[in-house]
Structures are given as structure tokens and as C-alpha cells.
């Protein structure tokens, strides 16, 4: 696959979108000036981290299988940080944590054509050696911090790219979750609910018990606090 490496860009996801000529592409930047997160949030992306987007064009990828894209991205990240000695956990749907703090975020932007996904842009930001802004230090961490090792972003990139070529299953994804059957908080529009997570369905919805009632929720609606 063609790989473009940049020193600085606004957002590698946006770069993919704007340079789309129909071919699959990986874009990597040393830093981003307008890194984007899910739900319209920004993503801190200073030098020392790995910021990568992979754009793929699909022929007949059913929209109802969209969660597979998330599975492949999150498991690829988990396997990558594991290779350096971290002990990753997935916080459904798209965050990877290590030592209870966020080490990676994933932003997936799909283009739909009828019942199919015609293009997916998977943006991955892994905190490797980057300094985190003060306000994120409580909730985020870096691969350097959790492993105590000085790491080359280049080697993390190479392993991630290899792992992104692999296909993973929902079982692989769930193997990185240790918070089933434990109390969690669900945040919906600023309101917090206590819940117990039971499972994740094949379509990516979280199955939770809230006040004894089974509910299946989509990640577009809520966030989790573990
Ligand atoms: C999140 O945590 O909400 C998702 C963060 C995704 C960040 C990555 S960094 C590479 C790509 N480019 C972006 O602008 N965002 C993603």
C-alpha cells in the first residue's frame, strides 16, 4: 500500500479524504495541528506520538459489518503495544488503555453507498514518547510511561502497519476486555448511569444491565467510564 509520511499536517484523516484518488493509502504524520477525536472532540497530537490513518476502498462491504473495521483497528493497536510490553485493555468502543489510562484513540470515518461502506478511513493516535498536556495526565498515558522504555516511533509504526493487515474477530476484541460483569458508568449527554456490561454483540453494540433492565447501546450514543 502507498505510504505518505509527513512532518506536520492538520489531521491525517483529513489528508486522506482530500487526497483520495481511489487508491488505498496510509498517511503518517510526526505531529498534527488539528487532530480530531470522536464525537467532535480534538485529539492532542504533539511530536513523539504515532499518528496514522489508513484509507481503504471497499467493493461490497456491508454497512452492518462496520464493527469489523473497529475490531481490526483496536486489536491491531493492542497487539502492537503488547509487543513493547504494555498490557492493553479496550474501552469500548474505540479506546485502548494501559494501566487504566488512555494510550490510543481511534477515529473511524466511513463513507456509505447505499447498504455498503465504499471507503473507510481509520485514524489511529498512539501516545509513544510524546509529552501529554497537563490536563490529560490524569486520564492518558504513553507507551514510554507504561513500559519504562525509550521507544522508537518508527518501530511502533512498522509493527502497527503489519498488524493492520490482519483480520481479527469479535472474540479477539473481547479478549482485551476485563470489565464485563463489573460496575461501569455510562455517560450520555453529560448524564451518568451506573451499569453492568454483559457482552458486546457482533454488530458492536454494548449489552448492559441498567436498573435490572437489559439494554443494547450503540457507541455513537454514549461513552464509558471504567
Ligand atoms: C479519540 O480518541 O477520540 C480518537 C482519536 C483519533 C486520533 C487519530 S490521530 C490520527 C488520525 N487523525 C486524526 O485527526 N485523528 C486520528
Amino acid at each position: 500500500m502507498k505510504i505518505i509520511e509527513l512532518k506536520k499536517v492538520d489531521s491525517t484523516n483529513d489528508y486522506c479524504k482530500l487526497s483520495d484518488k481511489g487508491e488505498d493509502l496510509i498517511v503518517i504524520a510526526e505531529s498534527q495541528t488539528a487532530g480530531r477525536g470522536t464525537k467532535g472532540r480534538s485529539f492532542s497530537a504533539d511530536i513523539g506520538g504515532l499518528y496514522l490513518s489508513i484509507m481503504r476502498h471497499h467493493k461490497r462491504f456491508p454497512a452492518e459489518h462496520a464493527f469489523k473495521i473497529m475490531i481490526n483497528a483496536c486489536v491491531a493497536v493492542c497487539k502492537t503495544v503488547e509487543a513493547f510490553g504494555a498490557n492493553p485493555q479496550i474501552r469500548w468502543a474505540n479506546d485502548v488503555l494501559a494501566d487504566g489510562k488512555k494510550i490510543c484513540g481511534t477515529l473511524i470515518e466511513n463513507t456509505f453507498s447505499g447498504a455498503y461502506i465504499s471507503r473507510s478511513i481509520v485514524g489511529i493516535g498512539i501516545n509513544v514518547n510524546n509529552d501529554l498536556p497537563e490536563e490529560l495526565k490524569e486520564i492518558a498515558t504513553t507507551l514510554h510511561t507504561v513500559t519504562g522504555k525509550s521507544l522508537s516511533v518508527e518501530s511502533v509504526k512498522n509493527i502497527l502497519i503489519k498488524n493492520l493487515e490482519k483480520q481479527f474477530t469479535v472474540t479477539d476484541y473481547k479478549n482485551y476486555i476485563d470489565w464485563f460483569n463489573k460496575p461501569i458508568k455510562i455517560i450520555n449527554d453529560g448524564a451518568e448511569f451506573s451499569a453492568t456490561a454483559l457482552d458486546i454483540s457482533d454488530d458492536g453494540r454494548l449489552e448492559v444491565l441498567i436498573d435490572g433492565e437489559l439494554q443494547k447501546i450503540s457507541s455513537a450514543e454514549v461513552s464509558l467510564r471504567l
Side-chain angles (χ1 to χ4, degrees):
M1 197 179 302
K2 183 172 171 189
I3 299 180
I4 297 179
E5 306 206 50
L6 306 165
K7 279 233 164 286
K8 197 186 253 194
V9 71
D10 47 2
S11 152
T12 52
N13 270 35
D14 293 344
Y15 188 97
C16 283
K17 244 175 257 174
L18 294 173
S19 59
D20 188 3
K21 294 189 178 69
E23 77 177 322
D24 293 353
L25 187 63
I26 291 176
V27 176
I28 299 154
E30 286 178 23
S31 67
Q32 296 180 119
T33 53
R36 292 189 294 108
T38 56
K39 303 187 169 84
R41 298 184 190 119
S42 62
F43 183 81
S44 166
D46 289 335
I47 197 136
L50 174 60
Y51 313 109
L52 177 150
S53 298
I54 178 162
M55 175 166 69
R56 286 194 171 104
H57 299 84
H58 309 280
K59 288 228 161 60
R60 290 182 83 79
F61 191 101
E64 66 266 25
H65 293 171
F67 188 52
K68 286 190 177 168
I69 301 172
M70 182 73 80
I71 289 172
N72 286 334
C74 288
V75 177
V77 169
C78 288
K79 301 260 179 215
T80 302
V81 298
E82 242 172 9
F84 292 90
N87 182 17
Q89 274 289 313
I90 293 176
R91 179 173 58 196
W92 176 87
N94 61 305
D95 290 337
V96 174
L97 313 184
D99 294 349
K101 294 180 174 183
K102 180 159 161 171
I103 198 164
C104 171
T106 311
L107 173 67
I108 298 180
E109 298 184 288
N110 291 324
T111 306
F112 294 87
S113 169
Y116 297 96
I117 292 172
S118 53
R119 181 186 77 183
S120 58
I121 299 175
V122 175
I124 294 172
I126 303 182
N127 297 323
V128 183
N129 300 313
N130 48 311
D131 285 330
L132 294 170
E134 212 47 52
E135 67 275 16
L136 292 183
K137 285 190 176 156
E138 281 282 294
I139 54 167
T141 191
T142 65
L143 202 48
H144 169 70
T145 307
V146 297
T147 62
K149 292 181 210 155
S150 194
L151 302 162
S152 100
V153 179
E154 180 82 10
S155 59
V156 181
K157 175 192 82 182
N158 291 336
I159 295 185
L160 178 64
I161 290 175
K162 282 208 177 77
N163 285 329
L164 285 169
E165 285 163 9
K166 300 178 187 160
Q167 298 286 325
F168 299 103
T169 64
V170 71
T171 308
D172 297 320
Y173 180 93
K174 287 196 265 189
N175 277 339
Y176 288 104
I177 291 178
D178 72 356
W179 41 268
F180 286 136
N181 298 307
K182 291 187 186 159
I184 56 164
K185 296 260 185 261
I186 292 183
I187 299 146
N188 187 356
D189 262 346
E192 244 184 58
F193 302 89
S194 299
T196 307
L198 301 180
D199 205 355
I200 290 168
S201 52
D202 289 351
D203 66 2
R205 283 181 300 163
L206 183 66
E207 301 178 3
V208 289
L209 277 180
I210 301 179
D211 294 333
E213 192 189 325
L214 178 67
Q215 297 196 24
K216 287 191 177 194
I217 50 182
S218 115
S219 61
E221 298 158 17
V222 301
S223 307
L224 287 196
R225 182 162 304 145
L226 303 180

